[in-house]
Amino acid sequence: MLGSMASIIPNQKNAHHSIRQSLDSHDNVEVEAAIFAASHFSAQSRDFAAGICNKIGEMIQGLATPVDLKLKLIPILQHMHHDAILASNSRQVLQQLVTSYPSTKMVIVTLHTFTLLAASSLVDIPKQIQLLLQYLKSDPRKAVKRLAIQDLKLLANKTPHTWNRDNIQALCECALQTPYDSLKLGMLSVLSTLSASISIKQYFNPPPGAVSGAARYVDLMKLAQECSYHSHRGIAAHGVTVLTNVVTACQDIDLALEKDAVFGLESLLVLSSQDGSAGAQQTLKTALSCMVKLAKCRPYLSQSVVESLLTQLHSAQDSARIYLCHCLASVAMQLPVLGDGMLGDLVELYKVIGRSTTDKQELLGNHDMARELYQSLLTQVASEHFYFWLNSLKEFSLAEQCLTRLQEDDVGLALSAIADSLKSYHKGIASLTAASTPMNPLSFQCDFVKLRIDLLQAFSQLICTCNSLKTSPPPAIAATIAMTSGNDLQRCGRISTQMKQCMEEFRNLAVRYGDLYQSSFDADSATLRNLELIIPNDCQVRLSVVLLVPCQLRWLL
């Protein structure tokens, strides 16, 4: 509890004193709790860290302290980053531990604490990089190598400018020599991070008076080229990433790497777009990001990139096609002249997809996609009227998307889908009304949507009426009542009256659609044609009601 409150009371002296006392306790549970609290207070309080540093060092180096307790005390030293003296003292303790305790667990904990301390204090980071590379190269234990790679990745992300040419060269040599794909993948991940930073330019541009880097250039490029065609997707992805980053970052250097980068990306594109797994999709995203970056920095390679994407678009998995289209859109935004060349292939593919869609995909259009598009455009407009207009379109698309859940012989699902659709329609009509202005009242749009709302309500009422035959069947004396009153419809009970009301609602809707058609005589031909398709005559009203009525009632209509 006390440790969890460290961020609230970091400089509470009585808390500091209590923690120091508990570290000397003979109760193991209390000591472990004190270690937890000491770690949290050291991260928050400079005074506490300065006062506890020597005590932690003595306990770690003391012969009486068990090894398992030392393993718990060591991570506290990562928080001794408040000033240079604290950091230096902690580094000395950690350095002695690395040499004195060569067991795997101790080396891993000490090295990781060493790295976290260096990354936090920003002191002696080059020395830490060299130490990690030394363990990566010389230590035979895979666990230690994995830890070294993990910490090198941390330092590559946090301080890429501290990596010199010798560090990158040593990492390349280790990656070329290791027979294990898992280690090669980790080292390439570090190189991929470094290649996207300032360190790659430092690698290819030695300081004045330094030895030429021709041999080093060969090692790095040899590694990237070999890995670009590796059977392991992750290794291949990092290989092409390194190639792409080198090509984009070193445009002033004469490097004939463009073709290698393009060929590697094309190979990875084919490999990953045929697989629908999550790992393949992640690899595909990496390859497509590299393609966009390559097309941006080397425009003369864009045509070949686009051709590769269009070729693969026809044979790729459906999930991969989405990312391919996103990539094509990104390239077209950078170089609009290439957009016209894509249209033919994209339209042809769209026709093929349209012919192969299922009934569910054909129902009501692509409203889900439309909703996402309207949502993305909401913050891109300059007036509130445009905002409300787009928001209404988004709600209408959501309303129509709800209707795609309709299924045959499922009354509950149908009512739920119509209710959700009506909810979105009401939100949309409110936004549409707010979008209207005296100069642009949007009267036709509002009237059309109101009719759509009433139509859905009428269908909902019709479904409930039909379902009431099950929940409220005709009474046993219905036949007697019908004979007495002379009205044969009374044999069906009250549902006959409800069905007449439903039919009257549909007739009224037909009249209102007709009125809207007549008042919109000056609309465009496509709008008028759509209204003609909606307006039913009396026979069509009867038929639409009959299709939803149980067989035993159809004779009434």
Side-chain angles (χ1 to χ4, degrees):
M1 179 70 75
L2 194 60
S4 300
M5 297 172 63
S7 60
I8 304 173
I9 52 169
N11 295 313
Q12 195 80 19
K13 299 302 181 182
N14 55 350
H16 298 178
H17 179 69
S18 176
I19 295 170
R20 288 194 194 93
Q21 281 187 323
S22 296
L23 286 172
D24 295 327
S25 173
H26 296 290
D27 186 342
N28 290 334
V29 176
E30 184 178 357
V31 173
E32 290 183 7
I35 291 173
F36 173 83
S39 178
H40 282 69
F41 271 88
S42 296
Q44 299 291 333
S45 172
R46 177 175 180 172
D47 293 339
F48 181 81
I52 205 73
C53 182
N54 291 335
K55 183 174 183 61
I56 297 296
E58 291 173 0
M59 292 179 68
I60 292 174
Q61 293 173 322
L63 298 177
T65 306
V67 175
D68 60 334
L69 187 59
K70 291 183 179 182
L71 291 172
K72 295 174 182 177
L73 287 166
I74 289 172
I76 298 177
L77 297 178
Q78 67 180 285
H79 303 301
M80 305 299 170
H81 52 72
H82 300 282
D83 58 52
I85 297 176
L86 271 179
S88 178
N89 292 339
S90 301
R91 283 186 61 86
Q92 290 178 5
V93 174
L94 292 170
Q95 188 69 52
Q96 293 174 2
L97 287 173
V98 167
T99 55
S100 303
Y101 296 90
S103 65
T104 301
K105 203 165 186 180
M106 184 64 79
V107 169
I108 288 176
V109 173
T110 306
L111 273 181
H112 188 55
T113 305
F114 226 145
T115 302
L116 293 176
L117 176 62
S120 300
S121 62
L122 300 179
V123 175
D124 292 334
I125 292 181
K127 291 183 179 179
Q128 184 62 24
I129 294 174
Q130 292 175 2
L131 178 64
L132 292 170
L133 287 171
Q134 178 184 344
Y135 272 93
L136 178 62
K137 185 176 181 179
S138 306
D139 200 297
R141 295 168 290 188
K142 289 184 69 175
V144 175
K145 289 180 181 291
R146 282 195 295 267
L147 185 278
I149 292 172
Q150 173 188 325
D151 287 353
L152 286 170
K153 181 67 180 288
L154 172 66
L155 295 177
N157 278 311
K158 191 170 181 65
T159 58
H161 58 281
T162 60
W163 288 69
N164 57 35
R165 306 177 75 214
D166 293 331
N167 299 148
I168 298 177
Q169 173 63 17
L171 191 58
C172 291
E173 292 174 356
C174 291
L176 286 169
Q177 294 169 3
T178 183
Y180 303 107
D181 284 350
S182 60
L183 298 180
K184 187 185 290 288
L185 177 64
M187 287 181 267
L188 277 168
S189 175
V190 180
L191 287 171
S192 176
T193 301
L194 292 172
S195 65
S197 67
I198 188 64
S199 61
I200 196 66
K201 290 190 175 182
Q202 297 174 350
Y203 182 81
F204 287 109
N205 294 284
V211 181
S212 174
R216 304 168 191 271
Y217 156 73
V218 170
D219 278 344
L220 180 60
M221 291 303 98
K222 178 183 177 182
L223 175 64
Q225 289 165 337
E226 285 181 0
C227 293
S228 297
Y229 301 97
H230 201 279
S231 58
H232 190 290
R233 281 196 305 261
I235 293 176
H238 285 304
V240 296
T241 300
V242 172
L243 281 177
T244 303
N245 288 337
V246 170
V247 170
T248 56
C250 305
Q251 298 186 48
D252 54 336
I253 299 178
D254 186 17
L255 301 174
L257 297 174
E258 294 92 342
K259 289 186 178 180
D260 290 330
V262 172
F263 292 157
L265 287 170
E266 290 176 350
S267 174
L268 190 60
L269 181 65
V270 173
L271 181 67
S272 57
S273 62
Q274 304 296 327
D275 190 346
S277 65
Q281 290 195 11
Q282 188 60 42
T283 303
L284 179 63
K285 290 180 183 180
T286 301
L288 295 177
S289 299
C290 291
M291 283 184 162
V292 173
K293 186 183 293 187
L294 198 63
K296 182 178 181 180
C297 76
R298 302 290 171 97
Y300 53 85
L301 297 176
S302 300
Q303 187 63 43
S304 61
V305 169
V306 169
E307 290 175 358
S308 300
L309 291 170
L310 291 174
T311 300
Q312 200 58 35
L313 196 59
H314 293 276
S315 59
Q317 295 279 331
D318 288 343
S319 57
R321 284 175 173 172
I322 299 174
Y323 300 119
L324 293 173
C325 290
H326 288 173
C327 184
L328 285 169
S330 299
V331 174
M333 289 179 66
Q334 294 174 6
L335 297 169
V337 69
L338 295 175
D340 296 335
M342 304 177 191
L343 289 179
D345 294 87
L346 293 176
V347 170
E348 184 63 29
L349 180 64
Y350 187 78
K351 291 179 180 178
V352 172
I353 294 175
R355 289 193 294 268
S356 63
T357 51
T358 62
D359 292 337
K360 284 188 177 181
Q361 288 172 320
E362 291 177 346
L363 182 64
L364 296 167
N366 299 312
H367 299 291
D368 192 38
M369 182 183 297
R371 179 180 61 83
E372 293 182 6
L373 289 173
Y374 294 138
Q375 179 66 43
S376 65
L377 292 173
L378 279 177
T379 57
Q380 308 297 320
V381 293
S383 71
E384 63 177 8
H385 298 293
F386 290 147
Y387 172 85
F388 286 122
W389 165 251
L390 289 172
N391 190 62
S392 67
L393 295 179
K394 182 199 75 172
E395 293 294 342
F396 297 151
S397 297
L398 179 58
E400 292 297 323
Q401 180 64 24
C402 291
L403 297 178
T404 60
R405 306 202 312 262
L406 292 172
Q407 294 181 3
E408 295 183 6
D409 302 326
D410 194 336
V411 175
L413 183 61
L415 291 174
S416 175
I418 293 176
D420 292 341
S421 179
L422 285 172
K423 187 186 300 182
S424 295
Y425 260 119
H426 283 298
K427 291 181 181 178
I429 192 66
S431 290
L432 188 62
T433 304
S436 61
T437 63
M439 298 297 296
N440 188 20
L442 302 176
S443 56
F444 171 81
Q445 291 86 343
C446 290
D447 292 341
F448 185 83
V449 173
K450 289 176 183 177
L451 282 171
R452 179 64 171 165
I453 292 173
D454 292 342
L455 179 63
L456 290 175
Q457 289 175 337
F459 275 117
S460 178
Q461 183 60 39
L462 179 59
I463 294 172
C464 291
T465 299
C466 295
N467 196 46
S468 69
L469 187 63
K470 300 178 182 179
T471 58
S472 181
I477 61 172
T480 304
I481 295 174
M483 292 179 63
T484 304
S485 63
N487 186 357
D488 200 41
L489 291 177
Q490 293 296 327
R491 287 189 300 127
C492 300
R494 63 189 183 91
I495 193 174
S496 59
T497 305
Q498 294 175 335
M499 292 301 299
K500 285 183 177 180
Q501 292 176 352
C502 289
M503 187 177 292
E504 192 61 32
E505 288 182 11
F506 280 101
R507 283 201 182 101
N508 291 336
L509 282 169
V511 172
R512 290 170 61 191
Y513 271 113
D515 293 341
L516 181 62
Y517 179 85
Q518 294 294 333
S519 63
S520 306
F521 61 89
D522 57 345
D524 60 278
S525 58
T527 300
L528 293 176
R529 177 58 182 161
N530 287 331
L531 285 175
E532 288 177 356
L533 295 174
I534 295 174
I535 301 172
N537 55 37
D538 188 66
C539 294
Q540 290 171 328
V541 170
R542 289 174 177 267
L543 179 62
S544 64
V545 176
V546 165
L547 291 175
L548 289 173
V549 177
C551 295
Q552 61 267 35
L553 293 181
R554 290 183 180 172
W555 65 274
L556 296 174
L557 303 173

